[in-house]
Amino acid sequence: MRFLSSLALAFFVGKTYATYRDFGIPVSTATVQVQAFNVVNVTFVNGPEASLIGPVLPGRGSVPFPNYAFLVTHKNSTRIVWDLGLRADTANYAPSIAGLFTAGIITVQPGAKGMTDLLTQGGVPLSSINQVIWSHAHFDHVGDMSKFPSTTQLVIGAETNTATFPQNSGASLLASDFANRTVTKIDFSKATLKFGSLKAIDYFGDGSFYLVDTPGHFPGHMSALARVTPTSFVYLGSDTYHNAAEIRPRPAFQQNFPCPAHLLAEAKTAISTDFFWSPKTTDGAFDVVSRADPLMIASDLPTSLTADPLTAGISLAKVAAFDADPDFFVVVAHDLSLRESLPYFPKTLNSWQTSRLKQNTVWNFVDPTNPAFLLSPL
Ligand SMILES: [Zn+2]
């Protein structure tokens, strides 16, 4: 009888990912240590000059964003830095980028430091960093490579536009970003692995850290899958999305991570039914459970910072399968809903699963008291 009822449940539920093995990820006991930094907090004017996410509800045009970067340490003591965040001296960006700050489109919190300062102050000498990997070459991920010794290699996606200022007047990168170091390009056309529907490369060759092809946001955009225990992973999602409402809620996600009752009740009146709807919503009472699509999207306006919104949306839908699975904790570079909850360096993210970090945070985006909440007019 019990067998029959579980069979009936499986039939009803259909195909969902049960464990990391269902994604085609090989078994391995090799792990890496992942440590998070919030390099800087910024305020971004999500408006007519540059846009990231939509819809922009009245009074919600000015959006705070954190800027995460990660120290990844392999058992053989190889140290990788995944993204550098913003450089602290924003006036020294190429003019096309520095203008975003002088125009007030991005405001950096006073006293901001760069990732290189945070590493050094944390007792991690820059000379101990073997490789810096840029998830992509947007200015808020490339930091200031000139601070690293020439022994630190730079790893970038093959499609990265490596034009630099001043040789190219409109370029966003600087010659100093590439000078005097080995630059390795990751070419996913040669990838032999596929996780879910995403091409992947085994970075160390032992299953501890994979680079994952997630095109669309910007040329050369990559994610990474870090194995932090033999059976659990941190998915470094880069700029696959910027607000958690772009990836959630979806049916498989809701099945594995049901919204806590108190947040369901809060969301009912907090989420504006003038702007959001679902099959069981009524005027003034939003129903989260019957909502089958994410509530927000990456901006597809002409001023969108996402280069190819259509392709980015496909990458996002593929990453959503990982987000729905209990073996993966997805953290993207600017997810404000996680800011108060992430364990930061010198702590590690390795015990996210036993500490229930995912269960405790994935619905923060519908919590009107969380700073990431954007689902009602202000
Ligand atoms: Zn970014």
Side-chain angles (χ1 to χ4, degrees):
M1 190 62 190
R2 178 172 292 178
F3 170 75
L4 274 179
S5 59
S6 61
L7 198 67
L9 182 68
F11 178 77
F12 176 73
V13 162
K15 177 170 168 43
T16 54
Y17 291 108
T19 80
Y20 77 93
R21 293 287 292 141
D22 298 297
F23 288 77
I25 298 170
V27 170
S28 172
T29 56
T31 58
V32 288
Q33 174 179 270
V34 179
Q35 293 169 292
F37 295 75
N38 182 12
V39 178
V40 66
N41 292 302
V42 304
T43 303
F44 173 73
V45 178
N46 187 38
E49 280 146 297
S51 58
L52 273 173
I53 48 179
V56 182
L57 272 53
R60 298 283 189 182
S62 191
V63 190
F65 281 114
N67 192 190
Y68 306 134
F70 302 88
L71 176 63
V72 178
T73 307
H74 186 265
K75 287 267 161 48
N76 70 11
S77 70
T78 298
R79 278 176 163 163
I80 296 170
V81 176
W82 177 264
D83 277 344
L84 295 177
L86 278 180
R87 64 186 293 155
D89 52 342
T90 57
N92 290 329
Y93 274 116
S96 63
I97 301 302
L100 294 170
F101 298 89
T102 50
I105 295 169
I106 303 173
T107 308
V108 178
Q109 95 190 55
K113 292 175 176 159
M115 181 62 171
T116 48
D117 302 315
L118 299 179
L119 287 168
T120 305
Q121 286 168 15
V124 182
L126 300 185
S127 59
S128 73
I129 304 299
N130 301 81
Q131 287 120 31
V132 170
I133 305 179
W134 288 349
S135 68
H136 62 297
H138 261 153
F139 60 95
D140 55 323
H141 298 256
V142 303
D144 182 359
M145 281 303 299
S146 73
K147 298 266 177 72
F148 287 89
S150 59
T151 47
T152 302
Q153 300 172 6
L154 176 62
V155 179
I156 59 177
E159 289 80 23
T160 305
N161 180 351
T162 54
T164 58
F165 179 87
Q167 291 80 1
N168 296 274
S169 60
S172 62
L173 297 173
L174 298 165
S176 61
D177 289 323
F178 299 111
N180 304 318
R181 74 185 69 254
T182 304
V183 179
T184 303
K185 293 187 174 181
I186 300 297
D187 182 359
F188 285 99
S189 70
K190 299 194 177 90
T192 53
L193 295 169
K194 220 167 197 191
F195 297 162
S197 307
L198 295 166
K199 289 181 202 161
I201 290 172
D202 188 346
Y203 192 73
F204 290 113
D206 62 2
S208 63
F209 190 72
Y210 299 97
L211 301 182
V212 182
D213 189 22
T214 45
H217 173 68
F218 201 60
H221 183 273
M222 303 186 283
S223 303
L225 191 57
R227 190 187 301 259
V228 292
T229 72
T231 58
S232 65
F233 300 80
V234 173
Y235 189 104
L236 300 174
S238 319
D239 280 7
T240 309
Y241 58 91
H242 292 75
N243 185 288
E246 292 171 73
I247 195 168
R248 302 167 201 146
R250 295 176 198 250
F253 171 81
Q254 293 219 55
Q255 185 186 313
N256 289 332
F257 296 94
C259 187
H262 73 283
L263 287 180
L264 277 182
E266 291 254 25
K268 198 169 191 173
T269 50
I271 296 177
S272 170
T273 58
D274 292 336
F275 296 90
F276 303 98
W277 201 256
S278 68
K280 293 187 178 170
T281 289
T282 54
D283 278 329
F286 186 81
D287 179 63
V288 168
V289 176
S290 61
R291 176 79 184 202
D293 303 306
L295 292 156
M296 301 188 78
I297 57 163
S299 168
D300 55 2
L301 299 174
T303 56
S304 178
L305 292 175
T306 292
D308 178 352
L310 184 65
T311 304
I314 291 169
S315 290
L316 174 62
K318 293 175 179 177
V319 173
F322 293 80
D323 188 51
D325 191 285
D327 288 345
F328 304 94
F329 177 59
V330 179
V331 53
V332 291
H334 308 290
D335 187 348
L336 182 61
S337 74
L338 294 173
R339 189 178 65 186
E340 319 310 327
S341 308
L342 283 182
Y344 292 103
F345 178 92
K347 293 178 181 166
T348 84
L349 284 175
N350 286 51
S351 58
W352 68 265
Q353 200 172 43
T354 51
S355 69
R356 298 182 62 80
L357 180 62
K358 184 171 183 178
Q359 282 91 337
N360 292 337
T361 56
V362 280
W363 285 100
N364 282 357
F365 72 101
V366 301
D367 180 351
T369 66
N370 188 284
F373 181 86
L374 296 174
L375 306 173
S376 70
L378 259 191

